Amino acid sequence: DVKVTQSSRYLVKRTGEKVFLECVQDMDHENMFWYRQDPGLGLRLIYFSYDVKMKEKGDIPEGYSVSREKKERFSLILESASTNQTSMYLCASSPTTGRMSTEAFFGQGTRLTVV
Amino acid sequence: AQKITQTQPGMFVQEKEAVTLDCTYDTSDPSYGLFWYKQPSSGEMIFLIYQGSYDQQNATEGRYSLNFQKARKSANLVISASQLGDSAMYFCATRFITGANSKLTFGKGITLSVRP
């Protein structure tokens, strides 16, 4: 089975801290995604990566950056955490775009609270 | 930009009845995929069903079927014979090709409650 693992299930950080959310997948997928999920707003794409060291902004990239140094790992970085970044963060991966029918596989989510 | 719309705020259905969850999308791309995911209270995202834009027939997976109306740009999920375990949040998502890459975009979701 495909496995997407996020490093933490729950995280509490202070305002202004630099925060790293890690995501690892074990199926050699080219595409990886970071979303945040807020009540009433659904899943909003922050960044996605289609290859090592390649990334594209999603719909709400402000205040975030990403890193993909290895194919299996995609990190989301909050450069200076703020309270409005308190949210559920979901990582997903999927194979190359040539297989449109393949769904994305999700991690269990990280609930981040910034105080 | 691509847009996915799920306008139903919350849906209720009696156990064993069928229910339709609405989804419309907006794209000028000829090639795209449509997905439905289920998110129970535990938070995991569970893939349910897929429909390709060139597929001639509506997709079906067990009790799930997709009412795909390409000209209207709608991809409604039909759940037949609802079960209590179907109570969850349901998300419609689309995958478009943008350049060489494939961006997966979600709607805001619909909450379904199944009554015994």
Side-chain angles (χ1 to χ4, degrees):
Chain A
D1 282 349
V2 174
K3 195 161 184 186
V4 180
T5 304
Q6 295 182 229
S7 53
S8 303
R9 192 71 192 263
Y10 299 94
L11 211 52
V12 180
K13 295 292 181 180
R14 294 193 181 278
T15 302
E17 273 193 79
K18 189 169 185 176
V19 181
F20 293 85
L21 301 183
E22 306 287 346
C23 177
V24 176
Q25 50 96 1
D26 65 359
M27 282 301 289
D28 203 36
H29 287 170
E30 290 78 10
N31 299 303
M32 295 188 76
F33 308 83
W34 274 109
Y35 296 89
R36 65 175 282 176
Q37 182 178 7
D38 301 287
L41 298 178
L43 276 72
R44 293 180 292 167
L45 182 64
I46 305 171
Y47 268 97
F48 71 105
S49 170
Y50 50 91
D51 204 347
V52 175
K53 296 190 188 292
M54 306 303 286
K55 62 186 179 186
E56 281 200 20
K57 293 180 180 178
D59 300 316
I60 51 164
E62 297 78 19
Y64 303 94
S65 62
V66 290
S67 171
R68 194 164 180 203
E69 297 296 318
K70 293 185 178 180
K71 194 174 185 180
E72 67 269 20
R73 186 180 297 270
F74 191 34
S75 303
L76 180 69
I77 303 157
L78 286 67
E79 297 290 342
S80 177
S82 63
T83 54
N84 63 14
Q85 292 178 310
T86 292
S87 186
M88 171 69 87
Y89 290 86
L90 290 164
C91 175
S93 75
S94 72
T96 186
T97 57
R99 296 171 59 188
M100 178 74 84
S101 63
T102 303
E103 73 272 24
F105 297 86
F106 282 82
Q108 77 276 29
T110 296
R111 185 165 293 282
L112 172 68
T113 303
V114 182
V115 298
Chain B
Q2 297 88 2
K3 187 177 177 182
I4 315 304
T5 303
Q6 295 181 264
T7 56
Q8 298 160 308
M11 292 287 288
F12 293 88
V13 64
Q14 204 67 32
E15 194 178 8
K16 299 180 184 177
E17 292 186 352
V19 62
T20 298
L21 306 182
D22 296 342
C23 173
T24 59
Y25 56 92
D26 184 16
T27 181
S28 56
D29 294 311
S31 178
Y32 51 89
L34 295 153
F35 302 82
W36 276 92
Y37 281 82
K38 172 185 177 181
Q39 188 182 45
S41 57
S42 57
E44 66 206 281
M45 291 287 284
I46 302 167
F47 166 72
L48 296 178
I49 195 167
Y50 165 83
Q51 178 85 45
S53 59
Y54 292 117
D55 292 345
Q56 295 298 313
Q57 293 189 323
N58 287 342
T60 60
E61 286 287 347
R63 293 187 298 112
Y64 304 109
S65 61
L66 212 151
N67 183 1
F68 180 48
Q69 298 186 45
K70 192 171 182 177
R72 295 182 60 190
K73 295 185 179 178
S74 74
N76 300 338
L77 177 70
V78 180
I79 305 174
S80 62
S82 297
Q83 301 173 355
L84 296 178
D86 293 335
S87 293
M89 181 82 83
Y90 289 81
F91 291 96
C92 177
T94 54
R95 191 166 198 177
F96 305 97
I97 297 289
T98 56
N101 312 310
S102 180
K103 181 177 171 181
L104 184 61
T105 303
F106 284 80
K108 294 184 178 181
I110 302 167
T111 301
L112 175 66
S113 299
V114 180
R115 291 172 169 153

